[in-house]
Amino acid sequence: MPTLDYHDKIAVLDLGADENRFSPEFLDQVGAHLDTAVADGAQGLVTTASGKFYSNGLDLDWLGANADRAEWYVARVQALLARMLTLPLPTAAALPGHAFGAGAMLAIAHDYRVMRADRGYFCFPEVDIRIPFTPGMAALIQAKLTPRSAVASMTTGRRFGGPDAAAYDIVDATAAEGAVTDSAVALLTPLAGKDPGTLGAVKNTMYATAVAALTAE
């Protein structure tokens, strides 16, 4: 279950200790915590997790049992990605373990990423599991990665460890076990105090194309 805490004025959203898949309930909880962080005047947001996964992404079991609601579900996931992309706070994803599929997309939607150096993979497995990217998801990834990194990650299903992810500029830094969240907080601390209205407007302009694709009906 996602929980919200604070390191001084930096909000830390722990996604949970399991696979942290995006069930509708999970999406509700994360959205509520984002509401709280913004309302509380947090000056930055770090997302992380407590177990071996940052997030395994889409809840395929729920989706399989609710195929008639697939369009609604994907729209909700994409709404979260768009919101994180344009959140009016500095944001960093602290990856203590695996980030796969939509979980990796959530990480990409942050301003910065810190990944554990010795454990965990960052992966877009869509090409191997035969689930093509939606236009919105592709636009998100391509808005954040260089063409080289987008091709390497989107067309191969490659699993990037921390050092490889850093070499491809998928993550901004790596850290030792137990230091990932603190490193992400340290990245954001110098950015505290940015005006939320201005920062939100800047992000909405920067990522207008991706946001439009993510929120298109």
Side-chain angles (χ1 to χ4, degrees), residues 90-180:
T91 59
L95 312 179
H98 305 308
F100 274 73
M105 294 175 204
L106 179 62
I108 281 290
H110 291 64
D111 299 327
Y112 306 100
R113 284 151 298 285
V114 179
M115 187 173 177
R116 181 171 164 178
D118 63 337
R119 175 184 171 185
Y121 291 112
F122 185 104
C123 178
F124 297 125
E126 282 74 9
V127 70
D128 289 328
I129 62 175
R130 300 184 180 184
I131 300 179
F133 295 98
T134 67
M137 292 174 178
L140 164 66
I141 298 166
Q142 290 175 281
K144 299 305 292 286
L145 297 183
T146 66
R148 171 177 176 263
S149 298
V151 170
S153 59
M154 295 176 71
T155 69
T156 67
R158 176 176 173 177
R159 299 184 176 193
F160 293 84
D164 283 343
Y168 275 84
D169 293 327
I170 295 171
V171 301
D172 299 276
T174 60
E177 179 183 3
V180 179

Side-chain angles (χ1 to χ4, degrees), residues 58-75:
L58 299 183
D59 189 337
L60 298 179
D61 289 340
W62 185 93
L63 195 54
N66 297 273
D68 59 321
R69 302 182 70 190
E71 186 174 339
W72 170 86
Y73 174 72
V74 171

Side-chain angles (χ1 to χ4, degrees), residues 180-206:
V180 179
T181 297
D182 286 344
S183 297
V185 170
L187 267 180
L188 297 189
T189 298
L191 303 175
K194 302 296 183 187
D195 175 66
T198 304
L199 182 58
V202 168
K203 290 185 181 183
N204 273 283
T205 300
M206 287 177 67

